[in-house]
């Protein structure tokens, strides 16, 4: 479900940060095993990849060290850069440790001398098999073991506490006392709803002496409609939601039902796979509901124009490219924008990937220019002006307007009975 999908990502990020801190502060002790991402990639990135990495135009001797398969191949100089498990047969080790000024790597003119300690780490890495690791963003998440640390005065309530307590123990620092209940509730309320608690809510929590008083506040706030509004902020941001179209006159578009869909999805704890399907292709589901069709409004949350002089095909290309960038950011957590013009140098995204993803949405019903100009006739938009919406549209019931109607009807009934 959406909450269950998003919250572990935050936890994982915390684990990653703690692991980074542990690696950074543990420099005094030699790790049991050399890791490519932690120990080798930073050295190679600083000293080797400029000439033996991603950029084909800058590459020397046809050697790539950023890809293991390439680093194990015999080069045009008839040597093997890396022989896993055999540093004495690996050319990169020979070049690192040589005293010959003409052969040493990195070359003297690069002004990138590698310290002896780092050379030894590279040698150990080759001896251990020269195992490469993908960039952390493309590697499966691994849950680290929780440190077994306890304290009767400050029990471990959350796995993250274990990692924090471990670092505090190393520095001989005692945990801070628990914050006052009023402060805890303020933090919780701002986190889950973006709003501070009322005086009545604070008083009720302070007076609640039951063991699960805090958990009850969590449940209360998760059940609040404000929770969905708070959580929807980040999704609507990455989905580039707006009430106007962006280009030229920045005219209004009536897309607020999509905003309500996202809020309701969080409040109803909709499964993330369903949340995804409905937005990307809800109209292709068997007998789609109005809600599922509204969800597909995501595909048209891009800048649109009806500016005179604009060329429809040019702007359809703009819309399609923007959709690729949005989908990549929202669902892949990655930037695809550079691949519109060239292969990415620093990750596995190719230009072909960009246009294949763009073609996936090629049948989205859209016009390049949302007007019927004489030089670009469009009979489907005949007579459209700046006062017209940006079709296609469907009519949906507004819960807010329904509630307002019911309220007005109640007031009218009471007035008539008086």
């Amino acid at each position: 479900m959406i909450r269950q999908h998003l919250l572990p990502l935050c936890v994982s990020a915390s684990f990653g940060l703690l692991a980074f801190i542990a690696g950074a502060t543990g420099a005094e002790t030699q790790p049991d095993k050399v890791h490519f991402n932690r120990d080798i990639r930073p050295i190679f990135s600083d000293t080797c990849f400029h000439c033996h990495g991603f950029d084909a135009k800058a590459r020397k001797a046809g050697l790539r060290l950023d890809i293991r398969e390439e680093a194990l191949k015999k080069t045009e100089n008839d040597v093997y850069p890396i022989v896993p498990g055999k540093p004495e047969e690996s050319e990169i080790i020979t070049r690192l440790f040589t005293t010959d000024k003409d052969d040493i790597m990195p070359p003297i003119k690069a002004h990138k001398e590698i310290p002896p300690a780092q050379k030894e780490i590279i040698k150990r890495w080759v001896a251990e098999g020269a195992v490469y690791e993908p960039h952390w963003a493309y590697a499966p998440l691994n849950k680290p073991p929780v440190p077994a640390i306890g304290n009767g005065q400050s029990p471990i309530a959350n796995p993250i506490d274990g990692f924090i307590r471990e670092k505090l123990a190393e520095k001989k620092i005692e945990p801070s006392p628990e914050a006052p209940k009023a402060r805890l509730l303020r933090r919780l309320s701002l986190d889950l709803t973006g709003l501070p608690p009322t005086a009545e809510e604070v008083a009720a929590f302070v007076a609640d002496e039951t063991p699960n008083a805090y958990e009850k506040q969590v449940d209360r706030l998760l059940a609040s409609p404000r929770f969905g509004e708070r959580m929807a902020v980040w999704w609507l941001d990455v989905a580039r939601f707006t009430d106007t179209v962006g280009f030229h006159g920045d005219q209004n578009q009536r897309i607020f039902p999509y905003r309500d869909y996202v809020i309701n999805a969080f409040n109803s704890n909709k499964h993330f796979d369903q949340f995804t399907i409905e937005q990307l292709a809800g109209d292709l589901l068997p007998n789609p509901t109005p809600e599922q069709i509204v969800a597909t409004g995501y595909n048209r949350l891009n800048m649109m124009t009806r500016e005179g002089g604009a060329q429809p095909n040019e702007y359809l290309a703009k819309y399609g490219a923007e959709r690729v960038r949005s989908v990549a950011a929202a669902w892949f957590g990655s930037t695809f924008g550079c691949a519109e013009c060239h292969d990415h140098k620093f990750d596995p995204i190719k230009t072909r990937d960009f246009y294949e993803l763009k073609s996936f949405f090629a049948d989205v019903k859209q016009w390049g220019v949302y007007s019927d100009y004489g030089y670009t006739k469009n009979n489907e938009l005949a007579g459209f002006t700046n006062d017209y919406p940006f079709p296609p549209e469907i009519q949906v019931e507004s819960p807010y307007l329904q509630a307002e109607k019911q309220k007005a009807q109640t007031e009218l009934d009471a007035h008539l009975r008086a």
Side-chain angles (χ1 to χ4, degrees):
M1 299 184 182
I2 292 175
R3 289 202 291 266
Q4 296 168 344
H5 174 83
L6 292 178
L7 294 181
L9 291 181
C10 301
V11 172
S12 299
S14 301
F15 287 163
L17 176 60
L18 290 166
F20 172 79
I21 294 172
T25 59
E28 306 86 7
T29 59
Q30 192 178 61
D32 294 334
K33 184 177 178 61
V34 180
H35 291 277
F36 180 79
N37 280 343
R38 183 189 65 196
D39 306 308
I40 304 301
R41 189 190 294 273
I43 302 173
F44 279 5
S45 295
D46 183 48
T47 61
C48 305
F49 286 166
H50 177 72
C51 297
H52 303 296
F54 324 95
D55 193 342
K57 294 181 179 179
R59 196 175 302 140
K60 308 295 184 184
L63 169 60
R64 289 192 69 166
L65 291 176
D66 59 306
I67 299 177
R68 189 175 194 269
E69 293 74 14
E70 295 295 324
L72 303 187
K73 290 180 181 178
K74 184 185 293 187
T75 70
E76 58 190 43
N77 296 329
D78 204 33
V79 297
Y80 288 95
I82 296 177
V83 180
K86 299 179 179 180
E88 69 281 356
E89 298 180 18
S90 301
E91 184 68 12
I92 69 165
I93 303 302
T94 301
R95 293 298 191 98
L96 284 175
F97 285 88
T98 186
T99 56
D100 188 324
K101 294 183 179 181
D102 293 328
D103 290 341
I104 193 169
M105 288 291 166
I108 295 175
K109 64 180 180 181
H111 303 291
K112 287 286 186 179
E113 182 178 356
I114 300 178
Q118 291 187 352
K119 292 181 181 181
E120 291 295 339
I121 289 175
I122 297 173
K123 186 176 181 179
R124 281 186 55 211
W125 172 67
V126 173
E128 291 174 1
V131 177
Y132 278 68
E133 295 170 320
H135 188 281
W136 64 265
Y138 300 102
L141 295 176
N142 292 313
K143 188 175 182 179
V146 179
I149 294 180
N151 185 316
Q153 296 178 341
S154 181
I156 300 296
N158 185 293
I160 295 179
D161 294 343
F163 292 93
I164 296 174
R165 290 287 301 281
E166 181 183 44
K167 304 311 296 182
L168 291 178
E170 288 180 7
K171 299 178 182 297
K172 296 181 172 54
I173 300 174
E174 286 296 317
S176 300
E178 184 174 285
K181 292 182 74 172
R183 189 176 301 167
L184 285 176
L185 184 60
R186 178 178 174 82
R187 292 173 181 172
L188 180 66
S189 298
L190 290 173
D191 278 346
L192 294 184
T193 67
L195 300 171
T198 64
E200 294 76 16
E201 290 168 345
V202 172
F205 179 46
V206 170
D208 189 348
E209 299 295 337
T210 58
N212 64 336
Y214 185 82
E215 286 73 13
K216 286 190 287 187
Q217 294 299 315
V218 172
D219 292 338
R220 176 182 66 82
L221 292 168
L222 289 177
S224 167
R226 306 288 86 81
F227 169 76
E229 294 170 2
R230 170 68 164 166
M231 297 301 292
V233 167
W234 293 285
W235 186 264
L236 293 174
D237 187 30
V238 75
R240 73 270 194 257
F241 173 83
T242 179
D243 288 321
T244 59
V245 297
F247 279 129
H248 187 44
D250 199 20
Q251 296 89 5
N252 293 328
Q253 61 173 340
R254 300 183 291 201
I255 197 68
F256 64 87
Y258 172 81
R259 175 203 63 200
D260 296 342
Y261 164 83
V262 174
I263 294 172
N264 292 335
F266 279 100
N267 280 332
S268 64
N269 212 7
K270 187 186 288 289
H271 284 262
F272 188 73
D273 57 352
Q274 194 67 21
F275 186 64
T276 297
I277 292 169
E278 289 175 352
Q279 290 180 83
L280 297 184
D283 57 321
L284 300 181
L285 293 170
N287 303 313
T289 65
E291 179 191 43
Q292 291 169 334
I293 295 177
V294 165
T296 64
Y298 167 85
N299 292 301
R300 297 184 60 247
L301 285 172
N302 57 269
M303 296 170 66
M304 294 178 284
T305 190
R306 54 170 43 119
E307 180 182 3
Q311 298 299 315
N313 287 339
E314 176 189 0
Y315 277 82
L316 283 174
K318 292 177 185 287
Y319 304 161
E322 167 61 16
R323 192 168 294 114
V324 171
R325 290 190 287 269
S326 172
V327 170
W331 275 278
F332 301 161
S334 183
T335 54
F336 265 47
C338 299
E340 183 176 6
C341 300
H342 55 75
D343 293 350
H344 274 197
K345 292 182 180 179
F346 306 109
D347 55 40
I349 301 168
K350 307 296 183 185
T351 305
R352 180 184 182 90
D353 299 326
F354 185 95
Y355 289 98
E356 283 183 344
L357 183 56
K358 183 179 176 181
S359 69
F360 183 80
F361 299 99
D363 59 351
V364 170
K365 182 65 173 178
Q366 201 163 22
W367 293 270
V369 178
Y370 283 79
S371 193
D372 179 34
Y373 294 115
Y375 64 93
T376 51
K377 292 297 296 179
N378 188 337
N379 294 331
E380 293 178 292
L381 301 177
F384 269 48
T385 67
N386 283 341
D387 297 325
Y388 277 71
F390 287 75
E393 288 190 324
I394 61 170
Q395 287 188 339
V396 295
E397 290 189 353
S398 166
Y400 171 78
L401 293 179
Q402 289 290 338
E404 289 294 299
K405 177 182 176 182
Q406 183 60 47
K407 178 182 177 182
Q409 186 64 50
T410 301
E411 293 175 350
L412 176 61
D413 293 343
H415 176 74
L416 293 176
R417 286 195 300 268

